[in-house]
């Protein structure tokens, strides 16, 4: 491909970034986004050239790595969420081959996994982010492993060796996820939000909070009358059950019921139970999946269990009865229930497999 065509492709991606940044209301955050994404892209381009890789592809990945964070303001899972968000945008340009798309998306996906070694472009993006963070926040302490990585990259770029503080001088904090019953917390958030009578329209600020996890241009239209699963996702995030917007390599995002069912049956989790399976009885904080409750479609509705007796369950639901508002409802135990998701209290998302971008 000619250098002229490559410049045109890079300019296309710059325009995508410019459009996203123009949507940021806070001037300081807008400037931060421009500086940070440009700096990582420039560094990635230089490192790629030094390492015999395609500087244009590295520059594109550098521009896109922080897209989700700056688009939504949500810091969780910058790699997986940005890769998922920019995938359709890149495909829509029709400017990159499938192989190039895979390289770019993998580089974005693995950006924070510096404890593992991946492909050459993945390592370029990791190194470029680390260099940018160092020069932007030079007073911040780094882990010993990050210091070794950073020092090698600085030498590679011809930058004089500098003194870098280690984390030993910084205060660290760890949270024991077992000290709080997150399923009970999940039910508390669900009960509160469902009782607020959220209305599934763009003008409702509470509905905006649910939709902001999914930064599609037409997300309000996509979720209109169809946001029960997105409601569950928000409740989980609020309760500290943190998940990316799509479990890697799965066809659907967690804004859909089927994605929750798929996730709960992965080898990583095994959280799905049919009613009475292994003596499991629904309890507060379980996630219930309904089967053909409101339509002829499989697993067509989802909610969070608040209480249960022998015959009925009390459920907090977004999009109650597909009527586009949240609410709490009693449902028959034996009617249209596929099963329950019971999330282990100590569960922490961790993906060890190989990320393969979906078509």
């Amino acid at each position: 491909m000619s250098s002229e065509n490559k410049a045109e492709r890079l300019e296309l991606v710059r325009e995508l970034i410019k459009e996203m940044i123009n949507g940021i209301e806070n001037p300081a955050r807008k400037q931060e986004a421009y500086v940070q994404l440009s700096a990582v892209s420039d560094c990635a381009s230089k490192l790629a050239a030094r390492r015999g890789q395609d500087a244009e592809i590295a520059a594109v990945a550098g521009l896109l790595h922080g897209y989700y964070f700056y688009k939504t303001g949500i810091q969780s899972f910058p790699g997986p969420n940005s890769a998922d968000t920019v995938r359709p945008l890149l495909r829509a340009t029709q400017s990159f081959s499938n192989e190039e798309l895979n390289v770019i998306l993998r580089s974005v996906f693995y950006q924070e996994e510096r404890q593992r070694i991946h492909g050459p472009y993945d390592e370029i993006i990791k190194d470029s982010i680390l260099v940018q963070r160092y020069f932007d926040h030079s007073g911040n302490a780094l882990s010993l492993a990050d210091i070794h990585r950073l020092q090698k990259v600085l030498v590679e770029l011809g930058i004089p060796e500098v003194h870098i503080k280690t984390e030993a001088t910084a205060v660290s904090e760890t949270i024991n996820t077992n000290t709080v019953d997150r399923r009970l917390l999940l039910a508390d958030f669900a009960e509160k939000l469902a009782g607020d009578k959220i209305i599934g329209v763009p003008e409702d600020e509470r509905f905006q909070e649910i939709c902001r996890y999914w930064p599609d241009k037409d997300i309000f239209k996509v979720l209109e009358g169809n946001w029960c699963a997105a409601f569950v996702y928000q409740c989980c995030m609020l309760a500290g059950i943190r998940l990316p917007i799509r479990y890697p390599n799965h066809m659907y995002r967690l804004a859909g019921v089927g994605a929750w069912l798929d996730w709960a049956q992965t080898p990583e989790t095994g959280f799905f139970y049919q009613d009475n399976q292994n003596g499991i009885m629904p309890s507060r904080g379980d996630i219930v999946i309904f089967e053909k409750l409101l339509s002829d479609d499989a697993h067509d509705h989802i909610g969070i269990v608040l209480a249960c007796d022998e015959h009925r369950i009390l459920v907090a639901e977004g999009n109650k009865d597909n009527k586009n508002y949240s609410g709490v409802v009693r449902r028959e135990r034996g009617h249209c229930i596929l099963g329950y998701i019971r999330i282990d209290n100590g569960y922490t998302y961790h993906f060890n497999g190989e990320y393969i971008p979906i078509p």
Side-chain angles (χ1 to χ4, degrees):
M1 180 176 292
S2 70
S3 58
E4 182 178 346
N5 288 336
K6 286 189 172 186
E8 290 177 357
R9 298 200 306 180
L10 188 56
E11 188 58 33
L12 274 176
V13 176
R14 287 197 178 106
E15 286 299 315
L16 290 175
I17 294 299
K18 182 179 177 180
E19 181 182 358
M20 179 272 290
I21 291 177
N22 285 341
I24 300 174
E25 295 182 359
N26 185 291
R29 176 56 63 86
K30 184 177 293 189
Q31 177 67 13
E32 175 192 326
Y34 176 79
V35 171
Q36 203 268 350
L37 297 178
S38 297
V40 172
S41 179
D42 290 345
C43 183
S45 178
K46 290 182 175 65
L47 284 176
R50 286 178 174 272
R51 297 176 186 180
Q53 305 299 328
D54 190 316
E56 178 220 21
I57 294 297
V60 167
L63 280 171
L64 295 172
H65 83 279
Y67 189 96
Y68 183 83
F69 168 64
Y70 286 113
K71 177 74 173 179
T72 66
I74 297 169
Q75 296 182 347
S76 302
F77 308 109
N81 285 352
S82 281
D84 192 72
T85 302
V86 303
R87 180 186 59 83
L89 301 178
L90 281 178
R91 289 200 177 278
T93 69
Q94 298 184 334
S95 299
F96 299 89
S97 69
N98 286 338
E99 182 180 355
E100 289 171 327
L101 285 171
N102 285 344
V103 169
I104 294 167
L105 294 174
R106 283 174 56 90
S107 301
V108 173
F109 182 91
Y110 285 123
Q111 62 181 271
E112 291 292 308
E113 296 193 27
R114 293 189 297 277
Q115 73 281 8
R116 297 171 60 195
I117 302 299
H118 297 94
Y121 291 94
D122 310 338
E123 297 307 303
I124 286 170
I125 297 304
K126 294 176 194 178
D127 289 342
S128 299
I129 292 172
L130 197 57
V131 169
Q132 191 279 332
R133 286 178 182 171
Y134 172 73
F135 283 108
D136 191 40
H137 306 285
S138 57
N140 287 359
L142 299 174
S143 70
L144 196 57
D146 279 347
I147 287 175
H148 291 323
R149 177 187 280 264
L150 177 59
Q151 286 174 331
K152 289 181 180 179
V153 178
L154 294 178
V155 170
E156 183 179 3
L157 291 171
I159 298 172
E161 187 173 340
V162 292
H163 176 70
I164 308 169
K165 289 197 305 182
T166 68
E167 282 182 344
T169 61
V171 177
S172 63
E173 232 178 79
T174 58
I175 299 174
N176 185 350
T177 56
N178 292 309
T179 60
V180 176
D181 191 323
R182 291 189 293 169
R183 283 199 302 273
L184 292 183
L185 197 58
L186 174 62
D188 290 343
F189 278 114
E191 188 169 22
K192 169 65 169 60
L193 292 177
D196 284 345
K197 291 291 191 294
I198 300 170
I199 303 173
V201 295
E203 295 77 19
D204 191 312
E205 292 184 1
R206 300 157 303 178
F207 187 58
Q208 293 173 19
E209 285 296 306
I210 293 173
C211 292
R212 76 187 186 102
Y213 293 102
W214 323 98
D216 308 18
K217 286 184 177 179
D218 59 347
I219 192 59
F220 293 118
K221 183 177 180 180
V222 170
L223 292 183
E224 182 180 2
N226 189 35
W227 48 282
C228 57
F231 172 85
V232 170
Y233 182 87
Q234 186 198 27
C235 292
C236 283
M237 294 294 282
L238 291 173
I241 303 169
R242 299 171 62 251
L243 294 164
I245 57 177
R246 185 195 306 268
Y247 191 83
N249 303 340
H250 282 220
M251 184 61 65
Y252 302 108
R253 300 182 302 179
L254 288 165
V257 180
W260 283 98
L261 181 60
D262 288 346
W263 167 76
Q265 296 179 98
T266 60
E268 180 195 4
T269 60
F271 294 153
F272 180 74
Y273 301 89
Q274 294 180 337
D275 199 10
N276 291 319
Q277 177 185 341
N278 299 330
I280 290 289
M281 301 289 286
S283 62
R284 185 173 175 87
D286 287 346
I287 298 171
V288 56
I289 295 181
F290 297 97
E291 180 79 357
K292 298 185 178 181
L293 175 70
L294 305 171
S295 70
D296 291 330
D297 298 328
H299 43 264
D300 63 337
H301 200 52
I302 193 170
I304 297 171
V305 177
L306 302 181
C308 173
D309 60 31
E310 186 177 352
H311 302 291
R312 294 181 296 179
I313 56 173
L314 186 67
V315 186
E317 300 177 1
N319 196 35
K320 175 185 172 185
D321 291 325
N322 283 354
K323 294 180 179 178
N324 214 32
Y325 64 88
S326 67
V328 175
V329 61
R330 290 190 184 276
R331 300 200 182 276
E332 296 299 319
R333 277 275 307 280
H335 181 61
C336 296
I337 292 179
L338 180 64
Y340 299 90
I341 298 173
R342 176 166 294 176
I343 301 173
D344 185 89
N345 196 52
Y347 171 76
T348 300
Y349 164 82
H350 185 67
F351 179 71
N352 269 328
E354 180 184 359
Y355 172 59
I356 304 173
I358 61 176

